[in-house]
């Protein structure tokens, strides 16, 4: 069976990107709601109550994003080659905490931001906003970090993948748009920044999707 053409592969890459961005955006929404309800002050009691309910949705999101990346790679290769998809590699628990820190440590950082702001003389409302902004950065970035780590491992495990292209979203910065003009080897980890929505499209054999910019 002939493999998919470049337009079909780009469409597949876009669907995967949409899936990851949906996970990211849901995570941000959930975390903001928890912050608004629980992080009313910088106390240890508020921190403990926040951690008790925030760890599970964050780790659920990173696991979902990593699993999506693992499933995407064999699906993409199968489409490109016209062959049956291979089983995805197994989820590594390290990808669930992609910063290399326990989730409780990561999710305590917004409270640190709130306390620092208060120590600088800012109002409680302003300090809570500083903490919220830090939390949003975490919620928006960690699922994408998890997907990047899992996707990188999946590409390295597939001998038919020779590299990848960066797939930008509609909010891509100038750095990401420029980076999307290049081809990358599977050994090169894609650069990510806070709120980055970029994903990857593998280069399978001679099937190069080309520049993929929204």
């Amino acid at each position: 069976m002939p493999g998919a053409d470049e337009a079909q592969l780009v469409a597949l890459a876009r669907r995967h990107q949409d899936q990851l961005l949906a996970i990211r955006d849901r995570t941000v929404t959930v975390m903001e709601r928890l912050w608004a309800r629980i992080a009313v002050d910088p106390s240890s009691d508020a921190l403990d109550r926040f951690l008790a309910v925030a760890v599970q949705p964050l780790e659920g999101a990173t696991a979902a994003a990593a699993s999506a990346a693992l499933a995407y790679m064999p699906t993409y290769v199968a489409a490109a080659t016209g062959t049956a998809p291979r089983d995805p590699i197994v989820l590594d628990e390290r990808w669930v905490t992609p910063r290399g820190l326990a989730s409780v440590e990561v999710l305590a950082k917004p409270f640190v931001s709130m306390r620092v702001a208060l120590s600088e003389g800012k109002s409680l409302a302003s300090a809570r906003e500083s903490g919220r902004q830090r939390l949003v950065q975490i919620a928006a970035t960690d699922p994408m970090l998890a997907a990047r780590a899992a996707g990188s491992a999946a590409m390295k495990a597939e001998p038919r993948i020779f590299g990848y292209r960066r797939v930008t979203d509609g909010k891509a910065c100038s750095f990401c748009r420029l980076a999307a003009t290049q081809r990358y080897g599977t050994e090169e980890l894609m650069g990510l920044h806070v709120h980055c929505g970029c994903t990857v499209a593998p280069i399978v054999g001679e099937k190069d999707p080309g520049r993929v910019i929204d």
Side-chain angles (χ1 to χ4, degrees):
M1 184 173 67
D5 60 28
E6 290 180 1
Q8 292 170 320
L9 293 176
V10 169
L12 183 59
R14 286 291 183 207
R15 287 196 294 271
H16 172 61
Q17 183 177 51
D18 289 344
Q19 183 183 21
L20 291 182
L21 294 181
I23 293 171
R24 180 196 69 179
D25 293 346
R26 285 197 302 269
T27 308
V28 169
T29 297
V30 169
M31 289 298 162
E32 285 191 300
R33 288 174 178 171
L34 293 176
W35 183 263
R37 189 174 79 239
I38 300 171
V40 294
D41 58 55
S43 67
S44 296
D45 178 63
L47 172 60
D48 290 343
R49 287 187 287 113
F50 179 74
L51 294 177
V53 296
V55 168
Q56 190 279 328
L58 180 63
E59 292 189 349
T62 53
S67 296
L70 295 180
Y72 164 63
M73 293 302 171
T75 300
Y76 189 101
V77 172
T81 58
T83 59
R86 297 176 178 177
D87 291 335
I89 65 174
V90 177
L91 177 70
D92 189 322
E93 289 301 318
R94 291 177 298 175
W95 302 331
V96 178
T97 52
R99 295 174 186 263
L101 297 172
S103 297
V104 291
E105 294 181 65
V106 175
L107 289 170
K109 293 181 183 296
F111 275 79
V112 173
S113 295
M114 179 162 47
R115 290 165 180 169
V116 169
L118 287 172
S119 72
E120 294 172 345
K122 295 181 180 178
S123 67
L124 178 58
S126 179
R128 289 186 69 218
E129 175 60 17
S130 295
R132 186 197 68 80
Q133 291 177 7
R134 184 118 185 233
L135 179 63
V136 166
Q137 291 178 351
I138 293 167
T141 305
D142 283 27
M144 305 305 285
L145 289 174
R148 181 184 68 170
S152 177
M155 286 193 291
K156 291 176 183 175
E158 173 52 78
R160 291 174 291 180
I161 296 179
F162 293 94
Y164 67 89
R165 293 278 190 172
R166 188 184 192 99
V167 180
T168 64
D169 68 345
K171 299 179 181 179
C173 65
S174 57
F175 166 80
C176 292
R177 291 196 300 271
L178 178 60
T181 65
Q182 306 298 314
R183 290 166 54 119
Y184 298 92
T186 55
E187 74 284 355
E188 297 179 85
L189 196 62
M190 184 181 71
L192 281 177
H193 56 78
V194 175
H195 296 294
C196 188
C198 292
T199 54
V200 302
I203 299 171
V204 182
E206 296 182 355
K207 290 287 184 72
D208 183 344
R211 187 175 178 180
V212 188
I213 296 181
D214 191 329

mmCIF file with all atom_site columns, all heavy atoms in Angstrom, residues 81-100:
data_model
loop_
_atom_site.group_PDB
_atom_site.id
_atom_site.type_symbol
_atom_site.label_atom_id
_atom_site.label_alt_id
_atom_site.label_comp_id
_atom_site.label_asym_id
_atom_site.label_entity_id
_atom_site.label_seq_id
_atom_site.pdbx_PDB_ins_code
_atom_site.Cartn_x
_atom_site.Cartn_y
_atom_site.Cartn_z
_atom_site.occupancy
_atom_site.B_iso_or_equiv
_atom_site.pdbx_formal_charge
_atom_site.auth_seq_id
_atom_site.auth_comp_id
_atom_site.auth_asym_id
_atom_site.auth_atom_id
_atom_site.pdbx_PDB_model_num
ATOM 1   N N   . THR A 1 81  ? 4.750  5.130  5.439  1.00 0.00 ? 81  THR A N   1
ATOM 2   C CA  . THR A 1 81  ? 5.302  3.966  4.746  1.00 0.00 ? 81  THR A CA  1
ATOM 3   C C   . THR A 1 81  ? 4.244  3.044  4.163  1.00 0.00 ? 81  THR A C   1
ATOM 4   O O   . THR A 1 81  ? 4.577  2.121  3.418  1.00 0.00 ? 81  THR A O   1
ATOM 5   C CB  . THR A 1 81  ? 6.187  3.150  5.710  1.00 0.00 ? 81  THR A CB  1
ATOM 6   O OG1 . THR A 1 81  ? 5.391  2.752  6.845  1.00 0.00 ? 81  THR A OG1 1
ATOM 7   C CG2 . THR A 1 81  ? 7.382  3.975  6.182  1.00 0.00 ? 81  THR A CG2 1
ATOM 8   N N   . GLY A 1 82  ? 2.968  3.277  4.523  1.00 0.00 ? 82  GLY A N   1
ATOM 9   C CA  . GLY A 1 82  ? 1.917  2.403  4.041  1.00 0.00 ? 82  GLY A CA  1
ATOM 10  C C   . GLY A 1 82  ? 1.962  1.025  4.660  1.00 0.00 ? 82  GLY A C   1
ATOM 11  O O   . GLY A 1 82  ? 1.554  0.028  4.049  1.00 0.00 ? 82  GLY A O   1
ATOM 12  N N   . THR A 1 83  ? 2.454  0.945  5.891  1.00 0.00 ? 83  THR A N   1
ATOM 13  C CA  . THR A 1 83  ? 2.557  -0.331 6.602  1.00 0.00 ? 83  THR A CA  1
ATOM 14  C C   . THR A 1 83  ? 1.704  -0.290 7.863  1.00 0.00 ? 83  THR A C   1
ATOM 15  O O   . THR A 1 83  ? 1.209  0.768  8.268  1.00 0.00 ? 83  THR A O   1
ATOM 16  C CB  . THR A 1 83  ? 4.017  -0.613 6.999  1.00 0.00 ? 83  THR A CB  1
ATOM 17  O OG1 . THR A 1 83  ? 4.496  0.460  7.838  1.00 0.00 ? 83  THR A OG1 1
ATOM 18  C CG2 . THR A 1 83  ? 4.899  -0.713 5.769  1.00 0.00 ? 83  THR A CG2 1
ATOM 19  N N   . ALA A 1 84  ? 1.544  -1.440 8.491  1.00 0.00 ? 84  ALA A N   1
ATOM 20  C CA  . ALA A 1 84  ? 0.786  -1.507 9.740  1.00 0.00 ? 84  ALA A CA  1
ATOM 21  C C   . ALA A 1 84  ? 1.576  -0.841 10.857 1.00 0.00 ? 84  ALA A C   1
ATOM 22  O O   . ALA A 1 84  ? 2.808  -0.972 10.921 1.00 0.00 ? 84  ALA A O   1
ATOM 23  C CB  . ALA A 1 84  ? 0.496  -2.957 10.103 1.00 0.00 ? 84  ALA A CB  1
ATOM 24  N N   . PRO A 1 85  ? 0.905  -0.106 11.739 1.00 0.00 ? 85  PRO A N   1
ATOM 25  C CA  . PRO A 1 85  ? 1.634  0.554  12.829 1.00 0.00 ? 85  PRO A CA  1
ATOM 26  C C   . PRO A 1 85  ? 2.197  -0.437 13.833 1.00 0.00 ? 85  PRO A C   1
ATOM 27  O O   . PRO A 1 85  ? 1.565  -1.446 14.153 1.00 0.00 ? 85  PRO A O   1
ATOM 28  C CB  . PRO A 1 85  ? 0.569  1.446  13.478 1.00 0.00 ? 85  PRO A CB  1
ATOM 29  C CG  . PRO A 1 85  ? -0.733 0.806  13.132 1.00 0.00 ? 85  PRO A CG  1
ATOM 30  C CD  . PRO A 1 85  ? -0.540 0.188  11.785 1.00 0.00 ? 85  PRO A CD  1
ATOM 31  N N   . ARG A 1 86  ? 3.385  -0.170 14.290 1.00 0.00 ? 86  ARG A N   1
ATOM 32  C CA  . ARG A 1 86  ? 3.998  -0.974 15.346 1.00 0.00 ? 86  ARG A CA  1
ATOM 33  C C   . ARG A 1 86  ? 3.457  -0.524 16.702 1.00 0.00 ? 86  ARG A C   1
ATOM 34  O O   . ARG A 1 86  ? 2.943  0.586  16.849 1.00 0.00 ? 86  ARG A O   1
ATOM 35  C CB  . ARG A 1 86  ? 5.520  -0.824 15.308 1.00 0.00 ? 86  ARG A CB  1
ATOM 36  C CG  . ARG A 1 86  ? 6.164  -1.328 14.021 1.00 0.00 ? 86  ARG A CG  1
ATOM 37  C CD  . ARG A 1 86  ? 7.655  -1.060 14.008 1.00 0.00 ? 86  ARG A CD  1
ATOM 38  N NE  . ARG A 1 86  ? 8.289  -1.579 12.796 1.00 0.00 ? 86  ARG A NE  1
ATOM 39  C CZ  . ARG A 1 86  ? 9.570  -1.423 12.511 1.00 0.00 ? 86  ARG A CZ  1
ATOM 40  N NH1 . ARG A 1 86  ? 10.366 -0.746 13.346 1.00 0.00 ? 86  ARG A NH1 1
ATOM 41  N NH2 . ARG A 1 86  ? 10.078 -1.920 11.395 1.00 0.00 ? 86  ARG A NH2 1
ATOM 42  N N   . ASP A 1 87  ? 3.628  -1.388 17.684 1.00 0.00 ? 87  ASP A N   1
ATOM 43  C CA  . ASP A 1 87  ? 3.210  -1.012 19.039 1.00 0.00 ? 87  ASP A CA  1
ATOM 44  C C   . ASP A 1 87  ? 4.086  0.129  19.547 1.00 0.00 ? 87  ASP A C   1
ATOM 45  O O   . ASP A 1 87  ? 5.304  0.131  19.318 1.00 0.00 ? 87  ASP A O   1
ATOM 46  C CB  . ASP A 1 87  ? 3.334  -2.203 19.988 1.00 0.00 ? 87  ASP A CB  1
ATOM 47  C CG  . ASP A 1 87  ? 2.329  -3.304 19.693 1.00 0.00 ? 87  ASP A CG  1
ATOM 48  O OD1 . ASP A 1 87  ? 1.276  -2.992 19.110 1.00 0.00 ? 87  ASP A OD1 1
ATOM 49  O OD2 . ASP A 1 87  ? 2.608  -4.468 20.025 1.00 0.00 ? 87  ASP A OD2 1
ATOM 50  N N   . PRO A 1 88  ? 3.480  1.108  20.215 1.00 0.00 ? 88  PRO A N   1
ATOM 51  C CA  . PRO A 1 88  ? 4.300  2.197  20.770 1.00 0.00 ? 88  PRO A CA  1
ATOM 52  C C   . PRO A 1 88  ? 5.188  1.692  21.888 1.00 0.00 ? 88  PRO A C   1
ATOM 53  O O   . PRO A 1 88  ? 4.909  0.663  22.517 1.00 0.00 ? 88  PRO A O   1
ATOM 54  C CB  . PRO A 1 88  ? 3.254  3.191  21.293 1.00 0.00 ? 88  PRO A CB  1
ATOM 55  C CG  . PRO A 1 88  ? 2.038  2.363  21.549 1.00 0.00 ? 88  PRO A CG  1
ATOM 56  C CD  . PRO A 1 88  ? 2.043  1.281  20.510 1.00 0.00 ? 88  PRO A CD  1
ATOM 57  N N   . ILE A 1 89  ? 6.286  2.395  22.138 1.00 0.00 ? 89  ILE A N   1
ATOM 58  C CA  . ILE A 1 89  ? 7.141  2.033  23.264 1.00 0.00 ? 89  ILE A CA  1
ATOM 59  C C   . ILE A 1 89  ? 6.408  2.339  24.565 1.00 0.00 ? 89  ILE A C   1
ATOM 60  O O   . ILE A 1 89  ? 5.447  3.100  24.597 1.00 0.00 ? 89  ILE A O   1
ATOM 61  C CB  . ILE A 1 89  ? 8.500  2.753  23.200 1.00 0.00 ? 89  ILE A CB  1
ATOM 62  C CG1 . ILE A 1 89  ? 8.330  4.269  23.353 1.00 0.00 ? 89  ILE A CG1 1
ATOM 63  C CG2 . ILE A 1 89  ? 9.224  2.435  21.903 1.00 0.00 ? 89  ILE A CG2 1
ATOM 64  C CD1 . ILE A 1 89  ? 9.665  5.012  23.448 1.00 0.00 ? 89  ILE A CD1 1
ATOM 65  N N   . VAL A 1 90  ? 6.884  1.747  25.639 1.00 0.00 ? 90  VAL A N   1
ATOM 66  C CA  . VAL A 1 90  ? 6.205  1.836  26.930 1.00 0.00 ? 90  VAL A CA  1
ATOM 67  C C   . VAL A 1 90  ? 6.463  3.201  27.582 1.00 0.00 ? 90  VAL A C   1
ATOM 68  O O   . VAL A 1 90  ? 7.572  3.751  27.508 1.00 0.00 ? 90  VAL A O   1
ATOM 69  C CB  . VAL A 1 90  ? 6.682  0.704  27.861 1.00 0.00 ? 90  VAL A CB  1
ATOM 70  C CG1 . VAL A 1 90  ? 6.034  0.816  29.236 1.00 0.00 ? 90  VAL A CG1 1
ATOM 71  C CG2 . VAL A 1 90  ? 6.367  -0.654 27.234 1.00 0.00 ? 90  VAL A CG2 1
ATOM 72  N N   . LEU A 1 91  ? 5.434  3.733  28.212 1.00 0.00 ? 91  LEU A N   1
ATOM 73  C CA  . LEU A 1 91  ? 5.554  5.007  28.936 1.00 0.00 ? 91  LEU A CA  1
ATOM 74  C C   . LEU A 1 91  ? 6.578  4.886  30.054 1.00 0.00 ? 91  LEU A C   1
ATOM 75  O O   . LEU A 1 91  ? 6.517  3.968  30.866 1.00 0.00 ? 91  LEU A O   1
ATOM 76  C CB  . LEU A 1 91  ? 4.192  5.394  29.508 1.00 0.00 ? 91  LEU A CB  1
ATOM 77  C CG  . LEU A 1 91  ? 4.142  6.665  30.365 1.00 0.00 ? 91  LEU A CG  1
ATOM 78  C CD1 . LEU A 1 91  ? 4.349  7.898  29.502 1.00 0.00 ? 91  LEU A CD1 1
ATOM 79  C CD2 . LEU A 1 91  ? 2.811  6.760  31.105 1.00 0.00 ? 91  LEU A CD2 1
ATOM 80  N N   . ASP A 1 92  ? 7.508  5.795  30.097 1.00 0.00 ? 92  ASP A N   1
ATOM 81  C CA  . ASP A 1 92  ? 8.511  5.876  31.151 1.00 0.00 ? 92  ASP A CA  1
ATOM 82  C C   . ASP A 1 92  ? 7.996  6.850  32.209 1.00 0.00 ? 92  ASP A C   1
ATOM 83  O O   . ASP A 1 92  ? 7.654  7.992  31.895 1.00 0.00 ? 92  ASP A O   1
ATOM 84  C CB  . ASP A 1 92  ? 9.844  6.357  30.575 1.00 0.00 ? 92  ASP A CB  1
ATOM 85  C CG  . ASP A 1 92  ? 10.992 6.247  31.565 1.00 0.00 ? 92  ASP A CG  1
ATOM 86  O OD1 . ASP A 1 92  ? 10.785 6.512  32.763 1.00 0.00 ? 92  ASP A OD1 1
ATOM 87  O OD2 . ASP A 1 92  ? 12.120 5.923  31.128 1.00 0.00 ? 92  ASP A OD2 1
ATOM 88  N N   . GLU A 1 93  ? 7.958  6.422  33.448 1.00 0.00 ? 93  GLU A N   1
ATOM 89  C CA  . GLU A 1 93  ? 7.427  7.266  34.520 1.00 0.00 ? 93  GLU A CA  1
ATOM 90  C C   . GLU A 1 93  ? 8.207  8.567  34.672 1.00 0.00 ? 93  GLU A C   1
ATOM 91  O O   . GLU A 1 93  ? 7.684  9.554  35.186 1.00 0.00 ? 93  GLU A O   1
ATOM 92  C CB  . GLU A 1 93  ? 7.431  6.506  35.848 1.00 0.00 ? 93  GLU A CB  1
ATOM 93  C CG  . GLU A 1 93  ? 6.401  5.386  35.921 1.00 0.00 ? 93  GLU A CG  1
ATOM 94  C CD  . GLU A 1 93  ? 4.978  5.894  35.730 1.00 0.00 ? 93  GLU A CD  1
ATOM 95  O OE1 . GLU A 1 93  ? 4.647  6.964  36.292 1.00 0.00 ? 93  GLU A OE1 1
ATOM 96  O OE2 . GLU A 1 93  ? 4.209  5.241  35.009 1.00 0.00 ? 93  GLU A OE2 1
ATOM 97  N N   . ARG A 1 94  ? 9.452  8.595  34.204 1.00 0.00 ? 94  ARG A N   1
ATOM 98  C CA  . ARG A 1 94  ? 10.234 9.830  34.306 1.00 0.00 ? 94  ARG A CA  1
ATOM 99  C C   . ARG A 1 94  ? 9.625  10.947 33.470 1.00 0.00 ? 94  ARG A C   1
ATOM 100 O O   . ARG A 1 94  ? 9.809  12.127 33.779 1.00 0.00 ? 94  ARG A O   1
ATOM 101 C CB  . ARG A 1 94  ? 11.677 9.576  33.851 1.00 0.00 ? 94  ARG A CB  1
ATOM 102 C CG  . ARG A 1 94  ? 12.498 8.696  34.781 1.00 0.00 ? 94  ARG A CG  1
ATOM 103 C CD  . ARG A 1 94  ? 13.858 8.448  34.202 1.00 0.00 ? 94  ARG A CD  1
ATOM 104 N NE  . ARG A 1 94  ? 13.796 7.737  32.935 1.00 0.00 ? 94  ARG A NE  1
ATOM 105 C CZ  . ARG A 1 94  ? 14.858 7.481  32.175 1.00 0.00 ? 94  ARG A CZ  1
ATOM 106 N NH1 . ARG A 1 94  ? 16.060 7.892  32.555 1.00 0.00 ? 94  ARG A NH1 1
ATOM 107 N NH2 . ARG A 1 94  ? 14.719 6.821  31.038 1.00 0.00 ? 94  ARG A NH2 1
ATOM 108 N N   . TRP A 1 95  ? 8.897  10.586 32.422 1.00 0.00 ? 95  TRP A N   1
ATOM 109 C CA  . TRP A 1 95  ? 8.293  11.607 31.567 1.00 0.00 ? 95  TRP A CA  1
ATOM 110 C C   . TRP A 1 95  ? 7.097  12.270 32.241 1.00 0.00 ? 95  TRP A C   1
ATOM 111 O O   . TRP A 1 95  ? 6.676  13.349 31.829 1.00 0.00 ? 95  TRP A O   1
ATOM 112 C CB  . TRP A 1 95  ? 7.869  10.988 30.237 1.00 0.00 ? 95  TRP A CB  1
ATOM 113 C CG  . TRP A 1 95  ? 9.009  10.347 29.508 1.00 0.00 ? 95  TRP A CG  1
ATOM 114 C CD1 . TRP A 1 95  ? 10.334 10.706 29.574 1.00 0.00 ? 95  TRP A CD1 1
ATOM 115 C CD2 . TRP A 1 95  ? 8.954  9.228  28.625 1.00 0.00 ? 95  TRP A CD2 1
ATOM 116 N NE1 . TRP A 1 95  ? 11.100 9.882  28.783 1.00 0.00 ? 95  TRP A NE1 1
ATOM 117 C CE2 . TRP A 1 95  ? 10.281 8.964  28.182 1.00 0.00 ? 95  TRP A CE2 1
ATOM 118 C CE3 . TRP A 1 95  ? 7.915  8.413  28.157 1.00 0.00 ? 95  TRP A CE3 1
ATOM 119 C CZ2 . TRP A 1 95  ? 10.581 7.925  27.305 1.00 0.00 ? 95  TRP A CZ2 1
ATOM 120 C CZ3 . TRP A 1 95  ? 8.220  7.394  27.279 1.00 0.00 ? 95  TRP A CZ3 1
ATOM 121 C CH2 . TRP A 1 95  ? 9.530  7.153  26.854 1.00 0.00 ? 95  TRP A CH2 1
ATOM 122 N N   . VAL A 1 96  ? 6.548  11.619 33.267 1.00 0.00 ? 96  VAL A N   1
ATOM 123 C CA  . VAL A 1 96  ? 5.413  12.192 33.991 1.00 0.00 ? 96  VAL A CA  1
ATOM 124 C C   . VAL A 1 96  ? 5.868  13.388 34.825 1.00 0.00 ? 96  VAL A C   1
ATOM 125 O O   . VAL A 1 96  ? 5.078  14.297 35.115 1.00 0.00 ? 96  VAL A O   1
ATOM 126 C CB  . VAL A 1 96  ? 4.736  11.118 34.861 1.00 0.00 ? 96  VAL A CB  1
ATOM 127 C CG1 . VAL A 1 96  ? 3.575  11.703 35.660 1.00 0.00 ? 96  VAL A CG1 1
ATOM 128 C CG2 . VAL A 1 96  ? 4.242  9.957  33.980 1.00 0.00 ? 96  VAL A CG2 1
ATOM 129 N N   . THR A 1 97  ? 7.118  13.396 35.216 1.00 0.00 ? 97  THR A N   1
ATOM 130 C CA  . THR A 1 97  ? 7.713  14.539 35.931 1.00 0.00 ? 97  THR A CA  1
ATOM 131 C C   . THR A 1 97  ? 8.884  15.050 35.079 1.00 0.00 ? 97  THR A C   1
ATOM 132 O O   . THR A 1 97  ? 10.048 14.816 35.406 1.00 0.00 ? 97  THR A O   1
ATOM 133 C CB  . THR A 1 97  ? 8.185  14.141 37.341 1.00 0.00 ? 97  THR A CB  1
ATOM 134 O OG1 . THR A 1 97  ? 9.031  12.977 37.241 1.00 0.00 ? 97  THR A OG1 1
ATOM 135 C CG2 . THR A 1 97  ? 6.999  13.819 38.234 1.00 0.00 ? 97  THR A CG2 1
ATOM 136 N N   . PRO A 1 98  ? 8.583  15.740 33.977 1.00 0.00 ? 98  PRO A N   1
ATOM 137 C CA  . PRO A 1 98  ? 9.610  16.037 32.973 1.00 0.00 ? 98  PRO A CA  1
ATOM 138 C C   . PRO A 1 98  ? 10.683 17.026 33.409 1.00 0.00 ? 98  PRO A C   1
ATOM 139 O O   . PRO A 1 98  ? 11.711 17.157 32.738 1.00 0.00 ? 98  PRO A O   1
ATOM 140 C CB  . PRO A 1 98  ? 8.791  16.608 31.810 1.00 0.00 ? 98  PRO A CB  1
ATOM 141 C CG  . PRO A 1 98  ? 7.565  17.184 32.452 1.00 0.00 ? 98  PRO A CG  1
ATOM 142 C CD  . PRO A 1 98  ? 7.258  16.251 33.574 1.00 0.00 ? 98  PRO A CD  1
ATOM 143 N N   . ARG A 1 99  ? 10.473 17.714 34.527 1.00 0.00 ? 99  ARG A N   1
ATOM 144 C CA  . ARG A 1 99  ? 11.516 18.637 35.008 1.00 0.00 ? 99  ARG A CA  1
ATOM 145 C C   . ARG A 1 99  ? 12.569 17.920 35.845 1.00 0.00 ? 99  ARG A C   1
ATOM 146 O O   . ARG A 1 99  ? 13.562 18.535 36.264 1.00 0.00 ? 99  ARG A O   1
ATOM 147 C CB  . ARG A 1 99  ? 10.892 19.754 35.844 1.00 0.00 ? 99  ARG A CB  1
ATOM 148 C CG  . ARG A 1 99  ? 9.964  20.668 35.063 1.00 0.00 ? 99  ARG A CG  1
ATOM 149 C CD  . ARG A 1 99  ? 9.276  21.660 35.979 1.00 0.00 ? 99  ARG A CD  1
ATOM 150 N NE  . ARG A 1 99  ? 8.275  22.445 35.282 1.00 0.00 ? 99  ARG A NE  1
ATOM 151 C CZ  . ARG A 1 99  ? 8.472  23.667 34.794 1.00 0.00 ? 99  ARG A CZ  1
ATOM 152 N NH1 . ARG A 1 99  ? 9.648  24.242 34.951 1.00 0.00 ? 99  ARG A NH1 1
ATOM 153 N NH2 . ARG A 1 99  ? 7.507  24.309 34.173 1.00 0.00 ? 99  ARG A NH2 1
ATOM 154 N N   . GLY A 1 100 ? 12.335 16.635 36.133 1.00 0.00 ? 100 GLY A N   1
ATOM 155 C CA  . GLY A 1 100 ? 13.252 15.899 36.989 1.00 0.00 ? 100 GLY A CA  1
ATOM 156 C C   . GLY A 1 100 ? 13.048 16.178 38.458 1.00 0.00 ? 100 GLY A C   1
ATOM 157 O O   . GLY A 1 100 ? 13.880 15.807 39.293 1.00 0.00 ? 100 GLY A O   1
#
